[in-house]
Amino acid sequence: MRFDTKIAIAVREDLAPWQQLNVTAFLASGIAGTFGETMGKPYEDGSGHRYLELFRQPVLVYEGRPDALSAARERAVSRDLPTAIYTEEMFGTGHDEANRAVVLAVPASALRLAGLAATPGT
């Protein structure tokens, strides 16, 4: 099956595995929360138990060096792609408002990206 769009998530290669998974989950939620149409239908097993819907398109997860993530962010922004970011400082916050504050405090060129996600939308 061919898909018109894909979701790309890139995380920094030098993060601990738990950090990579954490960043991936947060970034995926940004795509799901913004583009509800990326979600498929709920699942149901043969016993009638229902499960949550998942993305209906491929999710490609990459890892890379900090400079590669910065370059990917610049490309995504220059192409007006919907982009989610997770910065290194966000590991030290305790809630969503604090996350936004640490991102707002840094100019784009100085963001210390732990990861990013982008999709062309639908």
Side-chain angles (χ1 to χ4, degrees):
M1 172 177 253
R2 303 265 316 151
F3 292 89
D4 292 337
T5 60
K6 296 176 180 71
I7 297 165
I9 298 175
V11 296
R12 240 179 43 211
E13 65 185 6
D14 61 344
L15 297 176
W18 74 266
Q19 289 174 313
Q20 288 182 325
L21 293 169
N22 182 274
V23 169
T24 301
F26 271 96
L27 294 171
S29 74
I31 300 295
T34 303
F35 299 99
E37 64 274 11
T38 63
M39 302 304 291
K41 295 181 180 181
Y43 287 77
E44 185 173 335
D45 65 25
S47 300
H49 299 139
R50 295 196 48 131
Y51 303 94
L52 298 173
E53 61 271 7
L54 302 174
F55 287 126
R56 63 175 178 77
Q57 62 199 64
V59 178
L60 308 172
V61 181
Y62 305 96
E63 66 177 7
R65 296 181 322 274
D67 60 324
L69 271 61
S70 293
R73 188 206 62 80
E74 289 176 23
R75 276 193 308 275
V77 169
S78 73
R79 295 176 182 165
D80 290 325
L81 296 178
T83 305
I85 62 168
Y86 195 102
T87 68
E88 191 173 312
E89 293 79 9
M90 292 168 70
F91 288 119
T93 64
H95 55 86
D96 192 45
E97 273 186 50
N99 285 345
R100 284 193 299 281
V102 297
V103 172
L104 182 61
V106 180
S109 62
L111 290 170
R112 295 179 350 168
L113 296 173
L116 74 141
T119 184
T122 55

